[in-house]
Amino acid sequence: MMHFDNSWTRDLPGTFLRLDPAVAPDPVLLVWNEVLARDLGLEVSRDEATRWFSGAEVPAGAEPAALAYAGHQFGGFSPQLGDGRAHLLGEVLGPDGRRWDIQLKGSGRTPFSRGGDGRAAVGPMLREYLISEAMAALGVPTTRSLAVVATGEAVWREEGRLPGAVLARVAASHIRVGTFEFYSARSEVDKLRAVMEYTIARHYPGAEGALGLFDAVVAGQARLVAQWMGLGFVHGVMNTDNMALSGETIDYGPCAFLDAYAPGTVFSSIDRRGRYAFANQPGIMAWNLSRLAEALLPFIDSDEARAVDIANARLDGIAGVFRAEWLAVMRRKLGLLGEEPGDEALIDDLLPAMVGRDWTLTFRRGFEGLGDWRARWLERVGEGWEARLAAANPAVIPRNHIVEAALQAATVGDMEPFQALLAAVRDPFGPEAGREGFVLPPPEGLAPYVTFCGT
Ligand code: AMP
Ligand code: MG
């Protein structure tokens, strides 16, 4: 049983389209997150997971819906995106009373599909499963993955014919910056207000009005993106429709982790200008938050000029909020205790020294090879840094070359490399010894890693 309590479809009429997922003809459960299911209080057998999370059958109490949203994609506004291949099954309440969306992705066409087929291939859905579970283990706010079910249908992509799959994901919600932009662009102020009030009630019950909501979202995004920057994570497609008001990482597409550090690193094949490059992420976060602020203007002040002034003052503050979060992340990664006057310079000077070095292992192993900088750091860090570094810096991240090999094997029916990798990324802070295959960077001379959005 899943006990649904569907507040979105109940409270926000006119913001979604009710429709059932496509029926998967021959579903096969590829991965099933039993631990997460138990944590959420779901009583779901493997058989039920196979049917319910593939679209083969709609579970009792679900009210499948495709949600409307807009979004700025690579800087340009699309007034209507929406769930083009996803169905919100409904919401469940965990044992602690927290509310979670259960959503299917790759579950068929909707009126928001535009030219798309509404489908997803096994590889990209397993990729989202793996990376989101890795992020959760790394302590980063993220949507989670409950299951990937092969549908038994083929999908056609650039590579040719691929096995289709549906991902079942769990999210604090699917409210995006683009959700607000959708109603703002249509001047549907009543719906915009309803979505705003719903968001406050669901995520930030202490927040007062539009400004209170905005400040809470800024704080959450700053905390989130600071963690990404600490881990060398490149989201890859930080469009406003892929930014969740909950502060969770959402929509894992062309994302990847740095191997060697270079600030301009881009993995996504479609990000030709490097808009979403590693080092650009904090700036893009602020840009996206400006779009949210614009949508909230009618509720900030009834006098538009005054609303703009107030919003601009808030936007000016974002860089400082982010900087504080980032410094906190970096202090922890460097094993620093307390705060000292030279810390900021020490942290800032690390980055240029890191260029070309493996991001993950350089932290983990105490900055071997960074001679002068390391001497400064050693003077500051004090006793016992080994344990502090090991607790703050992962040994295992989902290394691109290993992810790729695991997904290729899975696509031809061998799930074993995927399962082994999944087990490794679920224990990121464990020892290096005995699992060097997951720890070490790719062999030198490998072509730069490229991810494809053709998901
Ligand atoms: P994304 O790049 O995954 O953030 O998606 C951007 C927009 O494209 C969203 O509205 C998606 O629902 C839609 N979309 C992506 N892939 C497909 C697909 N295969 N079929 C239909 N819509 C899609
Ligand atoms: Mg998206």
Side-chain angles (χ1 to χ4, degrees):
M1 271 300 276
M2 289 197 282
H3 300 278
F4 286 100
D5 178 60
N6 305 320
S7 67
W8 187 280
T9 49
R10 186 168 63 226
D11 298 345
L12 295 169
T15 65
F16 58 87
L17 299 166
R18 270 283 279 117
L19 76 165
D20 287 350
V23 176
D26 188 15
V28 176
L29 189 60
L30 296 181
V31 244
W32 167 227
N33 199 338
E34 237 175 318
V35 174
L36 178 60
R38 204 178 321 124
D39 288 351
L40 295 173
L42 305 180
E43 294 150 35
V44 178
S45 69
R46 290 185 66 91
D47 260 8
E48 288 165 336
T50 307
R51 286 179 277 122
W52 294 347
F53 300 138
S54 64
E57 184 185 313
V58 175
E63 293 180 275
L67 273 48
Y69 55 86
H72 278 85
Q73 301 182 302
F74 292 91
F77 187 58
S78 298
Q80 186 178 299
L81 295 170
D83 288 331
R85 55 160 173 176
H87 294 76
L88 176 64
L89 281 186
E91 300 151 33
V92 295
L93 299 175
D96 57 0
R98 285 172 74 184
R99 181 176 293 278
W100 300 101
D101 279 7
I102 311 275
Q103 195 214 49
L104 302 185
K105 181 168 172 180
S107 43
R109 285 182 54 81
T110 78
F112 298 114
S113 298
R114 296 169 291 156
D117 61 2
R119 309 287 170 160
V122 159
M125 293 305 98
L126 286 176
R127 197 161 197 289
E128 171 155 348
Y129 189 107
L130 181 87
I131 311 260
S132 63
E133 289 305 293
M135 293 289 264
L138 288 161
V140 183
T142 178
T143 61
R144 299 289 304 272
S145 296
L146 199 50
V148 174
V149 191
T151 58
E153 275 182 334
V155 299
W156 292 90
R157 294 292 181 263
E158 252 169 66
E159 306 93 296
R161 186 179 194 273
L162 296 170
V166 173
L167 169 77
R169 85 177 162 189
V170 176
S173 80
H174 285 84
I175 306 167
R176 307 153 188 270
V177 170
T179 313
F180 286 74
E181 290 179 288
F182 182 83
Y183 300 104
S184 170
R186 296 157 65 104
S187 300
E188 295 192 66
V189 178
D190 290 343
K191 282 185 189 158
L192 186 58
R193 182 184 290 106
V195 167
M196 179 181 78
E197 283 170 358
Y198 178 94
T199 306
I200 292 173
R202 182 159 173 180
H203 294 301
Y204 307 104
E208 277 188 38
L211 278 179
L213 171 63
F214 186 70
D215 289 344
V217 174
V218 168
Q221 284 299 323
R223 223 174 300 133
L224 177 67
V225 177
Q227 290 202 49
W228 292 358
M229 300 309 284
L231 288 165
F233 176 76
V234 183
H235 182 284
V237 60
M238 284 180 74
N239 295 334
T240 55
D241 50 303
N242 294 334
M243 185 183 265
L245 277 274
S246 64
E248 289 182 337
T249 313
I250 194 168
D251 277 1
Y252 292 85
C255 62
F257 287 79
L258 299 180
D259 288 306
Y261 168 62
T265 301
V266 172
F267 295 109
S268 170
S269 63
I270 60 168
D271 190 3
R272 292 203 185 81
R273 297 189 169 179
R275 178 179 171 90
Y276 299 138
F278 176 67
N280 286 355
Q281 296 183 117
I284 292 293
M285 173 199 82
W287 192 90
N288 290 350
L289 290 167
S290 308
R291 306 289 78 75
L292 176 63
E294 280 166 8
L296 292 173
L297 282 177
F299 313 117
I300 291 178
D301 200 293
S302 53
D303 179 300
E304 199 184 324
R306 200 165 336 130
V308 169
D309 283 347
I310 295 170
N312 276 333
R314 287 305 212 275
L315 298 178
D316 288 343
I318 292 177
V321 175
F322 174 77
R323 172 91 179 160
E325 292 292 347
W326 182 75
L327 286 172
V329 165
M330 293 303 279
R331 272 203 184 87
R332 195 161 170 266
K333 286 181 74 70
L334 266 58
L336 306 185
L337 299 173
E339 290 184 25
E340 288 181 19
D343 288 354
E344 287 203 36
L346 186 69
I347 292 167
D348 286 333
D349 291 347
L350 172 61
L351 294 184
M354 286 272 295
V355 172
R357 295 184 182 274
D358 188 76
W359 180 266
T360 302
L361 291 184
T362 302
F363 285 95
R364 175 80 178 188
R365 295 179 174 171
F367 309 102
E368 284 165 12
L370 298 186
D372 292 350
W373 186 91
R374 186 168 192 269
R376 278 170 69 196
W377 170 74
L378 274 175
E379 214 161 284
R380 163 67 176 90
V381 71
E383 305 251 298
W385 57 262
E386 291 87 347
R388 295 202 293 282
L389 254 54
N393 296 291
V396 175
I397 53 156
R399 294 271 180 188
N400 302 321
H401 62 297
I402 304 173
V403 172
E404 216 45 48
L407 297 184
Q408 277 180 23
T411 298
V412 295
D414 177 9
M415 288 297 291
E416 210 178 288
F418 181 89
Q419 292 294 357
L421 174 57
L422 182 61
V425 301
R426 280 190 165 142
D427 181 23
F429 299 102
E432 287 184 35
R435 47 185 198 157
E436 288 77 5
F438 297 112
V439 169
L440 297 178
E444 301 227 357
L446 223 61
Y449 186 62
V450 180
T451 53
F452 296 92
C453 223
T455 53

